[in-house]
Amino acid sequence: MAVPLDAAVSDAGASPHASRYAWYVLGILFLVYVLNFVDRQIISILAEDIKRDLNLRDEDLGFLYGTAFGVFYSLFGIPLGRLADNWHRGRLMVIGLALWSTMTALSGLSRSGGDLAAARIGVGIGEATASPSAYSLISDWFPKRLRATALSIYSAGLYVGGGVSLFIGGLIVQNWNRTWPTGGPFGLVGWQAAFMAVGIPGLIVALWIATLREPVRGAVEGLPPPAPHPAPFRAFGAELVTIIPPLTLIGAWAGGVRALAVNLLAAGITVAVVSGLIAIGEPWPQWTAVGIGAYAVFSWACALRRRDPAAFALIVGTPAFICTVVAYGLNAFLAYAASFWAAPYALRVLGASPATAGFYIGGTGALAGFLGVTLGGMIADRLRARHPAGRLIVVIFGAVVPVPFLVMAFTASSTAMLYPMLFLAQITASCALGSAAATTQDLVLPRMRGTATATFFIGTTLLGLALGPYLAGRVSSLSGSLSTGMLSLLLSVPITLAAAIAAYRLVPAAEATREARARAAGEVI
């Protein structure tokens, strides 16, 4: 049930302060994000055992960690973001958390790379419910001056969850395999048991999420609440038709013959590009998945332009928004790759044990991420108070400063060098997340925040997660060097910097004209 408007104004921050209940909600959402990344990241510390038992290559591991998860996370994130805009956000998170926790546990029953890929797709679909709902809730509980801080605290769950997953996963797999060298109860080996152990707790937390109150949208900014959507699930189904191939052809047909022709042309170009990559020897699962993702996002953007011109104008049609997404997406391109390949580098190249590597990489990663994203958000809010684009300074910092630390980490000849360099790389890279996220939220109207969040995460998944870990693994397989695989990704840094600088220049005007551009596109405000 939604909170009454007067209560929402009192709780959510018509004053410049956030209520105690707002901080309580933030704490629970932080825990959900911790679980989100425990389930997502644990495959890193288990990668060497999975590679051996399922007869996989480095690019296969990058595909399982990044692409199989990330593409479907992106595709379903968009319609689920729309559902978060139109329906009860807490209930949506309950359903999603139960789904991704179940699929994580089922990952432990995998007997082949295909089985594990199917489970990872399920995890991606479930996790796509979390951040659109959470970003929207946080933006409606916290005033604008605290928004980057609150989103940064929530986002710190990414690093805490990633760190906890490495520690727990390494401990479980090492002790399980030591106790049962040929397989334990039910024939499970260590990596399978680890998946099951981290998946089950999410089902309990899902019950806690169900108790959260729903704030009135826009009350924190003094805006009138939007009218309740008369059929949120019908709208969700209509959104699926615009983005899930081949249903996208139905969605395009609804826009007329010209829209269908444009959609078919985009599909043909995508097929041609993917076929060309496969013809020169690239793995078909990776590029088929990426091609599906790119085509699906194009189809959705075309449909959004027809069905919600105002949302299209403020999201896809705003260069400041797109530049912010690209800048952070390429930041994530490096960050996801380093996050995944750090543990295999320690185990394979430097000879560390799973438990030890999990403890040090996970512990330092959790601390670095929490400090970086939290301090980055606080600094970004202060810079925002001085200049409308002040938060983008933190994004620029996060694009450049981590580079030398990454170079030293992935050329390290000992864990004594690897662990501190990873810490410095993560603390300087992670500071950009809250800044970029808050910038995208400021550029749209309250009713569009779930959709804006889903669009933001397209950058961090299709650009970052679906490409970074895979390309590092692919270059590693071709060169025989995991170090070369990681360092090759640094070629993206100039593009990241250019996008961040462009966003800095474009954001002030885009935010100042937000309402006017929405009205011009047909929005009633």
Side-chain angles (χ1 to χ4, degrees):
M1 179 179 295
V3 181
L5 179 58
D6 56 350
V9 172
S10 176
D11 281 353
S15 73
H17 305 289
S19 68
R20 291 181 180 180
Y21 188 79
W23 291 106
Y24 166 75
V25 170
L26 180 60
I28 299 175
L29 296 179
F30 170 82
L31 177 59
V32 171
Y33 212 35
V34 168
L35 292 175
N36 186 302
F37 268 81
V38 167
D39 293 353
R40 184 186 307 193
Q41 185 70 25
I42 193 170
I43 193 173
S44 173
I45 196 67
L46 309 177
E48 294 298 288
D49 283 9
I50 293 172
K51 179 181 180 181
R52 180 195 64 233
D53 290 350
L54 301 185
N55 193 29
L56 304 177
R57 298 166 296 179
D58 278 354
E59 60 259 41
D60 299 325
L61 294 173
F63 170 78
L64 288 169
Y65 171 74
T67 315
F69 171 94
V71 167
F72 290 90
Y73 180 88
S74 294
L75 298 193
F76 281 86
I78 292 172
L80 287 168
R82 294 286 283 185
L83 187 56
D85 284 339
N86 296 331
W87 192 55
H88 194 291
R89 291 162 283 188
R91 293 173 189 167
L92 182 59
M93 292 187 75
V94 169
I95 295 170
L97 179 53
L99 173 60
W100 91 63
S101 299
T102 300
M103 297 306 293
T104 299
L106 290 177
S107 299
L109 301 178
S110 299
R111 302 297 179 185
S112 68
D115 291 345
L116 189 51
R120 293 289 293 174
I121 289 171
V123 173
I125 294 171
E127 291 196 5
T129 63
S131 285
S133 301
Y135 274 46
S136 182
L137 284 169
I138 290 169
S139 294
D140 277 328
W141 278 118
F142 285 84
K144 183 178 288 190
R145 75 174 191 88
L146 292 174
R147 194 166 290 154
T149 299
L151 288 171
S152 294
I153 292 171
Y154 166 75
S155 299
L158 179 164
Y159 302 98
V160 174
V164 168
S165 74
L166 296 181
F167 173 66
I168 292 177
L171 201 62
I172 292 173
V173 73
Q174 183 169 308
N175 290 330
W176 186 280
N177 289 341
R178 180 184 298 152
T179 304
W180 294 289
T182 59
F186 307 106
L188 299 176
V189 295
W191 63 268
Q192 293 174 310
F195 274 125
M196 291 186 170
V198 301
I200 294 172
L203 299 174
I204 300 171
V205 176
L207 299 176
W208 193 5
I209 294 295
T211 67
L212 294 182
R213 305 206 313 259
E214 183 83 359
V216 172
R217 301 174 195 266
V220 69
E221 296 181 47
L223 297 174
H229 197 285
F233 285 95
R234 184 180 302 170
F236 171 68
E239 202 73 40
L240 284 178
V241 170
T242 69
I243 197 167
I244 303 299
L247 299 178
T248 46
L249 297 177
I250 299 174
W253 176 254
V257 175
R258 181 178 178 182
L260 180 60
V262 170
N263 190 278
L264 287 171
L265 177 62
I269 293 172
T270 303
V271 170
V273 172
V274 171
S275 298
L277 289 169
I278 295 172
I280 63 175
E282 283 295 300
W284 71 266
Q286 166 68 21
W287 296 108
T288 299
V290 170
I292 288 171
Y295 160 71
V297 170
F298 174 83
S299 296
W300 167 79
C302 291
L304 181 67
R305 185 173 191 172
R306 295 192 304 270
R307 298 188 300 131
D308 192 343
F312 179 89
L314 296 191
I315 299 174
V316 183
T318 298
F321 191 104
I322 298 301
C323 286
T324 302
V325 169
V326 170
Y328 187 73
L330 290 177
N331 177 299
F333 177 80
L334 284 175
Y336 275 124
S339 179
F340 177 69
W341 289 111
Y345 186 86
L347 271 61
R348 185 188 310 176
V349 179
L350 304 181
S353 68
T356 302
F359 175 78
Y360 283 106
I361 296 176
T364 57
L367 178 61
F370 182 83
L371 291 175
V373 77
T374 304
L375 293 174
M378 295 171 66
I379 293 170
D381 278 337
R382 293 189 178 186
L383 291 172
R384 170 68 170 74
R386 299 179 182 179
H387 189 279
R391 289 172 179 151
L392 274 304
I393 295 174
V394 180
V395 177
I396 294 170
F397 176 91
V400 175
V401 177
V403 171
F405 303 127
L406 284 172
V407 172
M408 287 185 278
F410 284 92
T411 56
S413 57
S414 69
T415 55
M417 174 65 75
L418 174 68
Y419 298 150
M421 290 302 103
L422 286 174
F423 176 84
L424 292 172
Q426 287 173 311
I427 197 171
T428 51
S430 61
C431 66
L433 176 53
S435 308
T439 298
T440 60
Q441 294 289 294
D442 288 346
L443 291 173
V444 300
L445 299 177
R447 75 165 183 85
M448 305 169 184
R449 283 177 179 149
T451 304
T453 303
T455 308
F456 174 68
F457 276 94
I458 288 173
T460 62
T461 49
L462 289 183
L463 284 179
L465 187 55
L467 293 178
Y470 167 79
L471 289 175
R474 180 63 171 157
V475 175
S476 173
S477 292
L478 293 173
S479 66
S481 168
L482 186 51
S483 177
T484 300
M486 266 303 306
L487 297 182
S488 68
L489 303 188
L490 296 178
L491 294 172
S492 66
V493 172
I495 304 173
T496 312
L497 184 59
I501 293 173
Y504 179 84
R505 293 176 175 176
L506 294 170
V507 159
E511 185 174 353
T513 60
R514 183 183 71 171
E515 281 78 10
R517 288 184 295 115
R519 289 191 191 98
E523 185 78 0
V524 178
I525 302 177

